[in-house]
Amino acid sequence: MKIEQLRADYTAKLERQEELLVLTEARDFTPEEETEFDTLTREIKDLTKKIEKENEIEAAKERIAASKVSRGQAKKSEEGKVAEKFSILRAISQMANGVRADQLDGAEGEMHQEAVREARAKGQIVSGFGVPSAHLRAQDAATAATAGNLIATDLDSTVIPALRPKLVMSSLGATALNGLVGNLELPAGNAIATATWEGENDEAANTDPSTRLVSLTPTRLAAITTLSKQLMYQSSVDVEAWIRGELSNAIARAVDTAAISGNGSTIDGILGTSGVNEVSFGGVAATRAKLIDLQTAISVENYEAMTMAYLMNPILRGNLQSLKTDTGSGLFVMPDPNTLLGYRAVTTNLVSKVIDTNKTACIFGDFSNVVIGNWGGVDIVVDGYTKAEFGQVRVIINSYWDVALKQPKAFAFGDNIAYTALS
C-alpha cells in the first residue's frame, strides 16, 4: 500500500475515534461503539507501524542513492580517481610554505587547474586554490549543495568532532544546482488557465495561464579556520578527514540555515519568503488542530505531494511526543519520533527555538521546491603570514550561493509556537 494511502487511512481512523469520543462525552460507550473504538485503536497502531516502515524504506533508498553518488559505479572515471587522491591538507601545507597554487603538482595541481579553467570560462578569477564545481558532490551528512569534495567519506577519522546541528536539506529533497554562470531565472507557474461560461455570441474572456520568474543571484559565503603548522607536519588520514569535515560542515550549516530562515540580507529562506502560508499558533503550545492547519493551508492552495514533511526543532518534537490527542483515548500526537500525523518528521537545531522570546517554528511542505545554487565551486586562500609568529596558518574559503523557493505555496509554517523547556 502506498504511503499516501496509509496516511489517509490513519487520519480517517483517528478522526472517527474523535467522533466517537465526542458522541460519548456525556454517556458510556454502547457495546457496538466500544467494539468499534477498540478496533480503531488496533488499526491505528498497525498503520503507525506500516507508515514507520515505509519511511524507513524511503530513508534506505536515499542512503543507497547517496552512496552510489559518493562511491560512483564499479568503474571509476579518471576524474574520480583524481578527486580521491586529492588532499586539502597537502595543498594547504605546500601553500603555507610559499608554493603558489599554480605550482602545485599531482592531484592537487590537476584539481586547481580544472577550477581555473572553469572560472576563466565564466569570467571569474581564482585567487587561491580552487575546487571545481563538478567536484561538489552530495554527502550523507551534508546538504545536497555542500562543498562535498572537502569531505572524504571513505576516510575513517579518529579525531573527535564537535557536536553540531544536523543538516537536513539534502535528506528532505532540496534541489541542488552547481556550476552556475551569471544570475539564473527559473520559470514557474503562477496562475492556471480557467474556463468561463459565455453566451452564444459573447466574446470569450481572456483566461491564459501566467508564469513568473524565480531568481537566483550569488552571495558570498566565507569560512575561516586556523591550523597549527605542527598539526600539518603530523598529517595523517585522521587529520585530513577532520579538516575536510570541519570546513565543509561550516559551509553546509550556513547554507541549510539560510534555506530555513534566511541569511539576514539577500536570502529569505522558507520562513521569510513572501507567499509562504503562515499559520498563527497564538503564541501558545502546539495543538493537533494547528498542526493539521499547516497541511490544510497548503491543500487549499491546490498543492499536494507525497514527499511533504514536517521540519522542527528537537525541543518541539519532545513536546509533541508527550502531547495527547485528547483526554480519554491514551493516544499521542506523535507516537513515532520520525512521523507526525502521517507524514515524515525531521528535526534539527538549525530551526531556532528562540525565534521570538521562548518561541520556535514548525514548517510543513514539499522541500523539493527549495533550490540551492552554487557558483564556481570553492576558492581556498592560504595565509601563512598573518599568524606566522604563532606557528599558525589561516585558511579562508570563499564560495557563492543562493537559495530560492520554486513554489512558496508548497510550504506553511507557524513561528510563534511556545514550548516547554527541558525539565
Side-chain angles (χ1 to χ4, degrees):
M1 186 181 292
K2 296 295 184 180
I3 192 168
E4 59 265 27
Q5 184 60 52
L6 291 171
R7 289 168 175 162
D9 290 349
Y10 177 97
T11 301
K13 293 181 186 301
L14 206 59
E15 289 174 349
R16 176 54 184 162
Q17 267 199 333
E18 190 173 4
E19 290 174 4
L20 289 172
L21 290 170
V22 172
L23 289 172
T24 58
E25 282 183 348
R27 61 175 176 81
D28 293 334
F29 281 130
T30 66
E32 293 78 13
E33 288 171 339
E34 185 172 4
T35 298
E36 182 182 3
F37 187 90
D38 292 342
T39 300
L40 287 169
T41 298
R42 289 193 300 272
E43 291 174 344
I44 288 171
K45 290 181 179 178
D46 182 56
L47 285 169
T48 298
K49 292 179 180 178
K50 289 181 179 179
I51 290 170
E52 181 179 353
K53 176 58 66 176
E54 288 294 326
N55 285 329
E56 290 175 354
I57 291 172
E58 289 300 316
K61 289 179 180 178
E62 291 175 2
R63 288 194 297 270
I64 291 169
S67 177
K68 286 182 178 178
V69 172
S70 62
R71 294 196 316 268
Q73 302 302 322
K75 291 185 178 180
K76 297 179 180 178
S77 65
E78 288 301 316
E79 195 173 90
K81 292 178 181 178
V82 170
E84 286 184 355
K85 295 176 182 177
F86 161 65
S87 166
I88 189 173
L89 184 60
R90 189 160 56 243
I92 291 173
S93 180
Q94 291 183 58
M95 294 177 68
N97 287 297
V99 177
R100 298 196 313 268
D102 59 3
Q103 295 175 327
L104 294 172
D105 56 13
E108 292 73 36
E110 292 183 44
M111 190 76 73
H112 174 69
Q113 290 168 14
E114 184 179 344
V116 170
R117 285 193 294 270
E118 179 184 45
R120 186 180 297 121
K122 299 173 182 177
Q124 300 172 353
I125 297 175
V126 177
S127 56
F129 172 78
V131 178
S133 60
H135 295 284
L136 297 181
R137 61 180 186 260
Q139 301 295 328
D140 181 54
T143 170
T146 187
N149 219 75
L150 302 182
I151 299 178
T153 56
D154 55 348
L155 298 182
D156 179 21
S157 174
T158 57
V159 178
I160 301 174
L163 299 178
R164 64 195 76 197
K166 181 172 67 175
L167 304 170
V168 296
M169 281 298 140
S170 176
S171 66
L172 284 168
T175 302
L177 300 177
N178 293 319
L180 298 179
V181 180
N183 296 340
L184 177 66
E185 293 187 332
L186 303 173
N190 191 39
I192 62 175
T194 58
T196 59
W197 297 101
E198 305 285 2
E200 180 179 358
N201 298 311
D202 292 343
E203 181 181 357
N206 184 4
T207 58
D208 292 339
S210 62
T211 60
R212 58 187 173 80
L213 295 175
V214 178
S215 299
L216 291 171
T217 304
T219 297
R220 177 172 170 258
L221 174 61
I224 301 176
T225 189
T226 301
L227 306 174
S228 72
K229 288 191 173 181
Q230 180 176 340
L231 176 66
M232 292 189 293
Y233 293 151
Q234 295 174 331
S235 62
S236 67
V237 168
D238 300 328
V239 174
E240 171 77 19
W242 175 69
I243 292 175
R244 290 185 179 204
E246 289 298 304
L247 295 176
S248 179
N249 196 272
I251 293 175
R253 280 200 316 276
V255 174
D256 263 26
T257 301
I260 295 169
S261 54
N263 67 350
S265 55
T266 58
I267 299 175
D268 296 323
I270 297 170
L271 296 181
T273 296
S274 176
V276 173
N277 302 288
E278 185 172 0
V279 175
S280 175
F281 279 64
V284 297
T287 63
R288 179 173 178 269
K290 284 295 183 181
L291 294 168
I292 292 175
D293 284 347
L294 293 176
Q295 298 180 22
T296 306
I298 296 175
S299 295
V300 298
E301 296 292 345
N302 298 314
Y303 195 94
E304 296 284 350
M306 61 179 295
T307 54
M308 292 193 289
Y310 284 93
L311 177 63
M312 67 192 76
N313 187 281
I315 201 165
L316 177 58
R317 178 181 64 183
N319 287 185
L320 295 179
Q321 286 183 275
S322 60
L323 176 64
K324 293 184 177 180
T325 59
D326 51 58
T327 57
S329 69
L331 299 176
F332 291 86
V333 170
M334 199 174 185
D336 172 12
N338 300 311
T339 304
L340 177 59
L341 299 175
Y343 288 90
R344 185 181 174 199
V346 177
T347 60
T348 176
N349 281 307
L350 296 178
V351 178
S352 176
K353 65 176 184 291
V354 288
I355 290 176
D356 196 357
T357 306
N358 292 328
K359 302 293 188 298
T360 187
C362 182
I363 300 170
F364 178 74
D366 179 6
F367 290 83
S368 66
N369 280 278
V370 177
V371 180
I372 300 175
N374 168 257
W375 283 259
V378 178
D379 186 6
I380 303 173
V381 177
V382 179
D383 175 8
Y385 305 101
T386 303
K387 293 195 173 185
E389 69 270 30
F390 302 107
Q392 296 176 333
V393 175
R394 295 173 75 239
V395 180
I396 304 99
I397 294 183
N398 290 302
S399 54
Y400 294 84
W401 308 84
D402 196 12
V403 180
L405 305 184
K406 290 185 287 187
Q407 290 290 357
K409 293 300 182 183
F411 294 92
F413 73 88
D415 63 353
N416 59 343
I417 307 172
Y419 62 86
T420 302
L422 296 175
S423 58

